[in-house]
Structure formats: C-alpha cells, structure tokens
Tab-separated table of all heavy atoms in Angstrom:
chain	number	residue	atom	x	y	z
A	1278	MET	N	0.851	-1.167	-0.007
A	1278	MET	CA	0.025	-0.019	0.014
A	1278	MET	C	0.908	1.255	0.003
A	1278	MET	O	1.812	1.340	0.803
A	1278	MET	CB	-0.904	-0.006	1.246
A	1278	MET	CG	-2.073	0.864	1.145
A	1278	MET	SD	-3.124	0.918	2.618
A	1278	MET	CE	-4.276	-0.408	2.269
A	1279	ASP	N	0.662	2.193	-0.885
A	1279	ASP	CA	1.469	3.366	-0.981
A	1279	ASP	C	1.008	4.449	0.020
A	1279	ASP	O	-0.043	4.287	0.705
A	1279	ASP	CB	1.540	3.949	-2.391
A	1279	ASP	CG	0.195	4.460	-2.882
A	1279	ASP	OD1	-0.819	4.352	-2.141
A	1279	ASP	OD2	0.124	4.891	-4.031
A	1280	ASN	N	1.720	5.515	0.165
A	1280	ASN	CA	1.407	6.540	1.136
A	1280	ASN	C	0.021	7.175	0.925
A	1280	ASN	O	-0.683	7.444	1.913
A	1280	ASN	CB	2.454	7.639	1.146
A	1280	ASN	CG	3.742	7.211	1.845
A	1280	ASN	OD1	3.728	6.210	2.585
A	1280	ASN	ND2	4.855	7.882	1.616
A	1281	ALA	N	-0.348	7.429	-0.325
A	1281	ALA	CA	-1.662	7.974	-0.634
A	1281	ALA	C	-2.800	7.035	-0.177
A	1281	ALA	O	-3.815	7.499	0.373
A	1281	ALA	CB	-1.761	8.279	-2.099
A	1282	ALA	N	-2.638	5.732	-0.337
A	1282	ALA	CA	-3.604	4.774	0.079
A	1282	ALA	C	-3.739	4.772	1.568
A	1282	ALA	O	-4.848	4.697	2.108
A	1282	ALA	CB	-3.295	3.369	-0.535
A	1283	TRP	N	-2.557	4.771	2.287
A	1283	TRP	CA	-2.560	4.796	3.719
A	1283	TRP	C	-3.289	6.044	4.270
A	1283	TRP	O	-4.112	5.969	5.194
A	1283	TRP	CB	-1.156	4.742	4.292
A	1283	TRP	CG	-0.580	3.342	4.291
A	1283	TRP	CD1	0.438	2.911	3.523
A	1283	TRP	CD2	-1.004	2.248	5.121
A	1283	TRP	NE1	0.713	1.597	3.772
A	1283	TRP	CE2	-0.183	1.162	4.785
A	1283	TRP	CE3	-1.987	2.092	6.077
A	1283	TRP	CZ2	-0.291	-0.093	5.329
A	1283	TRP	CZ3	-2.085	0.868	6.718
A	1283	TRP	CH2	-1.276	-0.175	6.348
A	1284	ARG	N	-2.984	7.156	3.614
A	1284	ARG	CA	-3.630	8.433	4.031
A	1284	ARG	C	-5.108	8.377	3.836
A	1284	ARG	O	-5.892	8.825	4.707
A	1284	ARG	CB	-2.985	9.606	3.235
A	1284	ARG	CG	-3.576	10.939	3.664
A	1284	ARG	CD	-2.990	12.036	2.865
A	1284	ARG	NE	-3.657	13.297	3.166
A	1284	ARG	CZ	-3.074	14.389	3.590
A	1284	ARG	NH1	-1.787	14.429	3.724
A	1284	ARG	NH2	-3.748	15.428	3.832
A	1285	THR	N	-5.590	7.860	2.711
A	1285	THR	CA	-6.953	7.722	2.464
A	1285	THR	C	-7.678	6.798	3.490
A	1285	THR	O	-8.780	7.119	4.019
A	1285	THR	CB	-7.238	7.185	1.073
A	1285	THR	OG1	-6.695	8.066	0.090
A	1285	THR	CG2	-8.747	7.018	0.766
A	1286	ALA	N	-7.000	5.702	3.811
A	1286	ALA	CA	-7.567	4.787	4.852
A	1286	ALA	C	-7.612	5.474	6.197
A	1286	ALA	O	-8.610	5.335	6.922
A	1286	ALA	CB	-6.731	3.489	4.895
A	1287	TYR	N	-6.598	6.164	6.533
A	1287	TYR	CA	-6.562	6.853	7.820
A	1287	TYR	C	-7.618	7.895	7.888
A	1287	TYR	O	-8.326	8.038	8.897
A	1287	TYR	CB	-5.143	7.507	8.020
A	1287	TYR	CG	-5.118	8.362	9.315
A	1287	TYR	CD1	-4.940	7.771	10.541
A	1287	TYR	CD2	-5.324	9.725	9.224
A	1287	TYR	CE1	-4.888	8.566	11.684
A	1287	TYR	CE2	-5.276	10.520	10.378
A	1287	TYR	CZ	-5.048	9.903	11.614
A	1287	TYR	OH	-5.035	10.645	12.757
A	1288	GLU	N	-7.815	8.734	6.851
A	1288	GLU	CA	-8.818	9.751	6.796
A	1288	GLU	C	-10.246	9.135	6.899
A	1288	GLU	O	-11.120	9.666	7.588
A	1288	GLU	CB	-8.732	10.635	5.561
A	1288	GLU	CG	-7.513	11.517	5.623
A	1288	GLU	CD	-7.261	12.224	4.328
A	1288	GLU	OE1	-7.905	11.911	3.263
A	1288	GLU	OE2	-6.389	13.193	4.280
A	1289	ALA	N	-10.436	7.994	6.277
A	1289	ALA	CA	-11.752	7.348	6.342
A	1289	ALA	C	-12.015	6.885	7.723
A	1289	ALA	O	-13.097	7.013	8.303
A	1289	ALA	CB	-11.810	6.209	5.355
A	1290	ALA	N	-11.037	6.273	8.405
A	1290	ALA	CA	-11.189	5.828	9.783
A	1290	ALA	C	-11.410	6.938	10.656
A	1290	ALA	O	-12.251	6.874	11.616
A	1290	ALA	CB	-9.963	5.026	10.178
A	1291	ALA	N	-10.684	8.049	10.569
A	1291	ALA	CA	-10.838	9.189	11.415
A	1291	ALA	C	-12.283	9.806	11.202
A	1291	ALA	O	-12.875	10.217	12.191
A	1291	ALA	CB	-9.760	10.232	11.123
A	1292	GLY	N	-12.766	9.871	10.001
A	1292	GLY	CA	-14.100	10.374	9.791
A	1292	GLY	C	-15.181	9.530	10.411
A	1292	GLY	O	-16.092	9.998	10.990
A	1293	THR	N	-15.019	8.208	10.292
A	1293	THR	CA	-15.929	7.282	10.963
A	1293	THR	C	-15.925	7.445	12.462
A	1293	THR	O	-16.968	7.525	13.083
A	1293	THR	CB	-15.571	5.860	10.586
A	1293	THR	OG1	-15.696	5.721	9.168
A	1293	THR	CG2	-16.555	4.904	11.277
A	1294	GLN	N	-14.754	7.563	13.027
A	1294	GLN	CA	-14.600	7.798	14.475
A	1294	GLN	C	-15.307	9.128	14.919
A	1294	GLN	O	-16.012	9.159	15.916
A	1294	GLN	CB	-13.147	7.752	14.924
A	1294	GLN	CG	-13.001	7.919	16.428
A	1294	GLN	CD	-11.524	7.886	16.804
A	1294	GLN	OE1	-10.606	7.993	16.019
A	1294	GLN	NE2	-11.290	7.740	18.090
A	1295	THR	N	-15.086	10.190	14.191
A	1295	THR	CA	-15.665	11.455	14.492
A	1295	THR	C	-17.186	11.415	14.418
A	1295	THR	O	-17.877	11.928	15.302
A	1295	THR	CB	-15.108	12.558	13.554
A	1295	THR	OG1	-13.687	12.648	13.632
A	1295	THR	CG2	-15.703	13.923	13.840
A	1296	GLN	N	-17.724	10.784	13.400
A	1296	GLN	CA	-19.154	10.664	13.290
A	1296	GLN	C	-19.748	9.854	14.433
A	1296	GLN	O	-20.773	10.251	14.995
A	1296	GLN	CB	-19.556	9.945	11.975
A	1296	GLN	CG	-19.352	10.811	10.736
A	1296	GLN	CD	-19.657	10.085	9.458
A	1296	GLN	OE1	-19.496	8.881	9.393
A	1296	GLN	NE2	-20.060	10.809	8.465
A	1297	SER	N	-19.019	8.827	14.817
A	1297	SER	CA	-19.483	8.050	15.991
A	1297	SER	C	-19.499	8.886	17.278
A	1297	SER	O	-20.416	8.791	18.071
A	1297	SER	CB	-18.604	6.816	16.122
A	1297	SER	OG	-18.951	6.087	17.283
A	1298	GLN	N	-18.423	9.654	17.473
A	1298	GLN	CA	-18.347	10.483	18.639
A	1298	GLN	C	-19.447	11.557	18.672
A	1298	GLN	O	-20.021	11.835	19.726
A	1298	GLN	CB	-16.959	11.192	18.715
A	1298	GLN	CG	-15.870	10.209	19.077
A	1298	GLN	CD	-14.477	10.841	18.906
A	1298	GLN	OE1	-14.331	11.939	18.299
A	1298	GLN	NE2	-13.461	10.200	19.449
A	1299	ARG	N	-19.716	12.164	17.511
A	1299	ARG	CA	-20.783	13.184	17.403
A	1299	ARG	C	-22.116	12.548	17.765
A	1299	ARG	O	-22.890	13.112	18.523
A	1299	ARG	CB	-20.864	13.744	15.992
A	1299	ARG	CG	-19.814	14.727	15.696
A	1299	ARG	CD	-19.939	15.285	14.326
A	1299	ARG	NE	-21.180	16.058	14.210
A	1299	ARG	CZ	-21.531	16.670	13.173
A	1299	ARG	NH1	-20.738	16.630	12.046
A	1299	ARG	NH2	-22.628	17.355	13.074
A	1300	LEU	N	-22.415	11.338	17.246
A	1300	LEU	CA	-23.719	10.709	17.506
A	1300	LEU	C	-23.834	10.402	18.998
A	1300	LEU	O	-24.839	10.610	19.670
A	1300	LEU	CB	-23.836	9.453	16.669
A	1300	LEU	CG	-25.136	8.629	16.841
A	1300	LEU	CD1	-26.341	9.556	16.549
A	1300	LEU	CD2	-25.142	7.448	15.984
A	1301	ARG	N	-22.743	9.859	19.559
A	1301	ARG	CA	-22.742	9.567	20.994
A	1301	ARG	C	-22.975	10.748	21.892
A	1301	ARG	O	-23.785	10.728	22.793
A	1301	ARG	CB	-21.400	8.861	21.423
A	1301	ARG	CG	-21.552	7.701	22.323
A	1301	ARG	CD	-20.276	6.908	22.625
A	1301	ARG	NE	-19.011	7.578	22.378
A	1301	ARG	CZ	-18.192	7.227	21.371
A	1301	ARG	NH1	-18.464	6.294	20.524
A	1301	ARG	NH2	-17.022	7.843	21.278
A	1302	MET	N	-22.317	11.921	21.584
A	1302	MET	CA	-22.478	13.127	22.274
A	1302	MET	C	-23.870	13.716	22.121
A	1302	MET	O	-24.512	14.110	23.100
A	1302	MET	CB	-21.445	14.192	21.816
A	1302	MET	CG	-21.555	15.474	22.569
A	1302	MET	SD	-21.405	15.345	24.384
A	1302	MET	CE	-19.632	14.772	24.498
A	1303	SER	N	-24.384	13.599	20.908
A	1303	SER	CA	-25.771	14.102	20.621
A	1303	SER	C	-26.786	13.289	21.451
A	1303	SER	O	-27.700	13.873	22.096
A	1303	SER	CB	-26.096	13.947	19.132
A	1303	SER	OG	-27.372	14.317	18.914
A	1304	ASP	N	-26.605	11.968	21.527
A	1304	ASP	CA	-27.474	11.099	22.288
A	1304	ASP	C	-27.357	11.446	23.847
A	1304	ASP	O	-28.403	11.514	24.467
A	1304	ASP	CB	-27.121	9.641	22.088
A	1304	ASP	CG	-27.510	9.139	20.760
A	1304	ASP	OD1	-28.314	9.800	20.011
A	1304	ASP	OD2	-27.016	8.061	20.351
A	1305	GLN	N	-26.188	11.686	24.323
A	1305	GLN	CA	-26.034	12.027	25.727
A	1305	GLN	C	-26.701	13.391	26.077
A	1305	GLN	O	-27.402	13.479	27.074
A	1305	GLN	CB	-24.543	12.062	26.128
A	1305	GLN	CG	-23.830	10.762	26.122
A	1305	GLN	CD	-22.400	10.865	26.369
A	1305	GLN	OE1	-21.774	11.996	26.408
A	1305	GLN	NE2	-21.683	9.758	26.570
A	1306	LEU	N	-26.480	14.326	25.214
A	1306	LEU	CA	-27.116	15.629	25.440
A	1306	LEU	C	-28.650	15.534	25.425
A	1306	LEU	O	-29.325	16.145	26.220
A	1306	LEU	CB	-26.637	16.645	24.351
A	1306	LEU	CG	-25.179	17.057	24.512
A	1306	LEU	CD1	-24.716	17.852	23.268
A	1306	LEU	CD2	-24.953	17.889	25.785
A	1307	THR	N	-29.144	14.767	24.415
A	1307	THR	CA	-30.571	14.632	24.325
A	1307	THR	C	-31.191	13.936	25.564
A	1307	THR	O	-32.199	14.330	26.088
A	1307	THR	CB	-30.939	13.801	23.038
A	1307	THR	OG1	-30.436	14.541	21.888
A	1307	THR	CG2	-32.414	13.632	22.878
A	1308	ARG	N	-30.475	12.981	26.091
A	1308	ARG	CA	-30.895	12.296	27.366
A	1308	ARG	C	-30.982	13.285	28.538
A	1308	ARG	O	-31.692	13.058	29.453
A	1308	ARG	CB	-30.032	11.123	27.638
A	1308	ARG	CG	-30.329	9.881	26.808
A	1308	ARG	CD	-29.683	8.594	27.420
A	1308	ARG	NE	-28.263	8.738	27.525
A	1308	ARG	CZ	-27.392	8.387	26.576
A	1308	ARG	NH1	-27.813	7.932	25.413
A	1308	ARG	NH2	-26.108	8.486	26.736
A	1309	HIS	N	-30.204	14.332	28.456
A	1309	HIS	CA	-30.159	15.311	29.487
A	1309	HIS	C	-31.031	16.451	29.231
A	1309	HIS	O	-30.960	17.544	29.888
A	1309	HIS	CB	-28.720	15.794	29.766
A	1309	HIS	CG	-27.848	14.763	30.477
A	1309	HIS	ND1	-27.957	14.427	31.787
A	1309	HIS	CD2	-26.923	13.934	29.930
A	1309	HIS	CE1	-27.137	13.498	32.093
A	1309	HIS	NE2	-26.500	13.135	30.990
A	1310	GLY	N	-31.898	16.352	28.198
A	1310	GLY	CA	-32.887	17.389	27.921
A	1310	GLY	C	-32.451	18.529	26.978
A	1310	GLY	O	-33.152	19.476	26.796
A	1311	VAL	N	-31.256	18.355	26.405
A	1311	VAL	CA	-30.799	19.366	25.422
A	1311	VAL	C	-31.329	19.014	24.053
A	1311	VAL	O	-31.254	17.890	23.597
A	1311	VAL	CB	-29.264	19.343	25.413
A	1311	VAL	CG1	-28.748	20.320	24.395
A	1311	VAL	CG2	-28.723	19.696	26.825
A	1312	HIS	N	-31.851	20.035	23.402
A	1312	HIS	CA	-32.300	19.877	21.968
A	1312	HIS	C	-31.064	20.099	21.127
A	1312	HIS	O	-30.533	21.177	21.099
A	1312	HIS	CB	-33.379	20.818	21.658
A	1312	HIS	CG	-34.026	20.566	20.356
A	1312	HIS	ND1	-35.085	19.719	20.110
A	1312	HIS	CD2	-33.701	21.070	19.116
A	1312	HIS	CE1	-35.343	19.665	18.798
A	1312	HIS	NE2	-34.555	20.454	18.176
A	1313	VAL	N	-30.708	19.079	20.329
A	1313	VAL	CA	-29.541	19.134	19.504
A	1313	VAL	C	-29.938	19.408	18.053
A	1313	VAL	O	-30.812	18.637	17.536
A	1313	VAL	CB	-28.756	17.842	19.580
A	1313	VAL	CG1	-27.548	17.835	18.672
A	1313	VAL	CG2	-28.281	17.612	20.994
A	1314	VAL	N	-29.374	20.381	17.431
A	1314	VAL	CA	-29.557	20.639	16.010
A	1314	VAL	C	-28.283	20.292	15.290
A	1314	VAL	O	-27.269	20.985	15.502
A	1314	VAL	CB	-29.972	22.120	15.734
A	1314	VAL	CG1	-30.147	22.340	14.270
A	1314	VAL	CG2	-31.247	22.456	16.515
A	1315	ASP	N	-28.304	19.240	14.524
A	1315	ASP	CA	-27.109	18.836	13.790
A	1315	ASP	C	-27.349	19.211	12.321
A	1315	ASP	O	-28.142	18.601	11.605
A	1315	ASP	CB	-26.985	17.309	13.940
A	1315	ASP	CG	-25.582	16.848	13.327
A	1315	ASP	OD1	-24.791	17.667	13.019
A	1315	ASP	OD2	-25.419	15.579	13.236
A	1316	ALA	N	-26.617	20.247	11.883
A	1316	ALA	CA	-26.881	20.699	10.489
A	1316	ALA	C	-25.512	21.231	9.947
A	1316	ALA	O	-24.584	21.634	10.696
A	1316	ALA	CB	-27.876	21.831	10.528
A	1317	THR	N	-25.436	21.260	8.654
A	1317	THR	CA	-24.283	21.856	7.980
A	1317	THR	C	-24.414	23.381	8.062
A	1317	THR	O	-25.497	23.907	8.277
A	1317	THR	CB	-24.232	21.392	6.509
A	1317	THR	OG1	-25.353	21.928	5.826
A	1317	THR	CG2	-24.118	19.892	6.407
A	1318	PRO	N	-23.302	24.099	7.819
A	1318	PRO	CA	-23.397	25.529	7.818
A	1318	PRO	C	-24.475	26.122	6.850
A	1318	PRO	O	-25.162	27.094	7.163
A	1318	PRO	CB	-22.015	26.013	7.441
A	1318	PRO	CG	-21.126	24.929	7.824
A	1318	PRO	CD	-21.923	23.643	7.656
A	1319	ASP	N	-24.585	25.439	5.698
A	1319	ASP	CA	-25.616	25.931	4.749
A	1319	ASP	C	-27.018	25.698	5.185
A	1319	ASP	O	-27.960	26.423	4.724
A	1319	ASP	CB	-25.408	25.182	3.437
A	1319	ASP	CG	-24.087	25.520	2.731
A	1319	ASP	OD1	-23.514	26.638	3.053
A	1319	ASP	OD2	-23.661	24.775	1.856
A	1320	THR	N	-27.275	24.686	6.041
A	1320	THR	CA	-28.643	24.416	6.474
A	1320	THR	C	-28.919	24.830	7.934
A	1320	THR	O	-30.000	24.494	8.433
A	1320	THR	CB	-28.935	22.972	6.249
A	1320	THR	OG1	-28.106	22.127	7.044
A	1320	THR	CG2	-28.809	22.548	4.782
A	1321	LEU	N	-27.937	25.421	8.584
A	1321	LEU	CA	-28.074	25.688	10.037
A	1321	LEU	C	-29.234	26.646	10.318
A	1321	LEU	O	-30.080	26.413	11.205
A	1321	LEU	CB	-26.841	26.236	10.603
A	1321	LEU	CG	-26.785	26.518	12.138
A	1321	LEU	CD1	-27.134	25.217	12.884
A	1321	LEU	CD2	-25.533	27.129	12.600
A	1322	ALA	N	-29.323	27.780	9.624
A	1322	ALA	CA	-30.357	28.769	9.891
A	1322	ALA	C	-31.763	28.193	9.803
A	1322	ALA	O	-32.596	28.330	10.699
A	1322	ALA	CB	-30.153	30.009	8.986
A	1323	PRO	N	-32.079	27.502	8.673
A	1323	PRO	CA	-33.462	26.914	8.575
A	1323	PRO	C	-33.681	25.822	9.623
A	1323	PRO	O	-34.774	25.648	10.203
A	1323	PRO	CB	-33.576	26.399	7.208
A	1323	PRO	CG	-32.307	26.627	6.546
A	1323	PRO	CD	-31.387	27.395	7.445
A	1324	ALA	N	-32.604	25.042	9.961
A	1324	ALA	CA	-32.744	23.982	10.941
A	1324	ALA	C	-33.024	24.562	12.314
A	1324	ALA	O	-33.820	24.046	13.138
A	1324	ALA	CB	-31.448	23.102	10.978
A	1325	LEU	N	-32.369	25.723	12.665
A	1325	LEU	CA	-32.590	26.353	13.954
A	1325	LEU	C	-34.033	26.926	14.022
A	1325	LEU	O	-34.738	26.805	14.970
A	1325	LEU	CB	-31.550	27.458	14.149
A	1325	LEU	CG	-30.185	26.955	14.488
A	1325	LEU	CD1	-29.243	28.199	14.518
A	1325	LEU	CD2	-30.189	26.232	15.828
A	1326	ALA	N	-34.498	27.523	12.876
A	1326	ALA	CA	-35.818	28.059	12.797
A	1326	ALA	C	-36.869	26.940	13.007
A	1326	ALA	O	-37.862	27.130	13.681
A	1326	ALA	CB	-36.023	28.822	11.513
A	1327	ASP	N	-36.623	25.819	12.356
A	1327	ASP	CA	-37.531	24.697	12.469
A	1327	ASP	C	-37.583	24.085	13.922
A	1327	ASP	O	-38.559	23.581	14.372
A	1327	ASP	CB	-37.205	23.544	11.485
A	1327	ASP	CG	-37.501	23.977	10.042
A	1327	ASP	OD1	-38.180	24.990	9.834
A	1327	ASP	OD2	-36.886	23.343	9.142
A	1328	ALA	N	-36.444	24.160	14.603
A	1328	ALA	CA	-36.324	23.608	15.958
A	1328	ALA	C	-36.879	24.526	16.987
A	1328	ALA	O	-37.197	24.021	18.147
A	1328	ALA	CB	-34.867	23.303	16.258
A	1329	TRP	N	-37.082	25.823	16.706
A	1329	TRP	CA	-37.531	26.773	17.736
A	1329	TRP	C	-38.965	26.423	18.050
A	1329	TRP	O	-39.781	26.284	17.163
A	1329	TRP	CB	-37.373	28.195	17.148
A	1329	TRP	CG	-37.522	29.202	18.231
A	1329	TRP	CD1	-38.665	29.883	18.518
A	1329	TRP	CD2	-36.483	29.714	19.069
A	1329	TRP	NE1	-38.444	30.732	19.577
A	1329	TRP	CE2	-37.089	30.675	19.912
A	1329	TRP	CE3	-35.191	29.361	19.242
A	1329	TRP	CZ2	-36.416	31.340	20.898
A	1329	TRP	CZ3	-34.447	30.040	20.207
A	1329	TRP	CH2	-35.070	31.038	20.999
A	1330	PRO	N	-39.267	26.356	19.365
A	1330	PRO	CA	-40.635	25.967	19.710
A	1330	PRO	C	-41.663	27.017	19.389
A	1330	PRO	O	-41.508	28.174	19.287
A	1330	PRO	CB	-40.594	25.737	21.214
A	1330	PRO	CG	-39.243	26.185	21.697
A	1330	PRO	CD	-38.417	26.451	20.474
C-alpha cells in the first residue's frame, strides 16, 4: 500500500470515528434534555428556525 492509500484509509477511519463520537455526544445531550440541532453551515439557519418551539 502506498502513502496515498494509507492516508485515504486513515482519513476514512478518522471520519468514521468522528461521526461516531458526534452521535454519542448528541445522544447524551438529548438524554439530559438538550435539543440538538445537527446541521451543515448551509442548512443551520433553517434547521434552527424549524427547531424553535
């Protein structure tokens, strides 16, 4: 495996780990009564408006 392939594999693993950590944190916050809005920068404003009670 060349360096580019190792880097791609590492980045994929790091991305998977980060997604898992975000989901775990979101679940923990939700269990404590926090409303979590998970959105990209482009969709954050409408997501926040939709989440507002």
Side-chain angles (χ1 to χ4, degrees):
M1278 198 181 269
D1279 64 0
N1280 284 343
W1283 280 110
R1284 181 181 173 125
T1285 301
Y1287 174 81
E1288 289 172 350
T1293 299
Q1294 182 180 14
T1295 299
Q1296 286 176 332
S1297 176
Q1298 290 170 344
R1299 282 181 67 177
L1300 181 58
R1301 221 174 21 251
M1302 181 58 65
S1303 176
D1304 289 343
Q1305 289 175 353
L1306 290 169
T1307 300
R1308 281 194 301 271
H1309 289 284
V1311 176
H1312 186 87
V1313 176
V1314 176
D1315 188 10
T1317 63
D1319 293 340
T1320 62
L1321 182 59
L1325 288 172
D1327 291 344
W1329 195 263

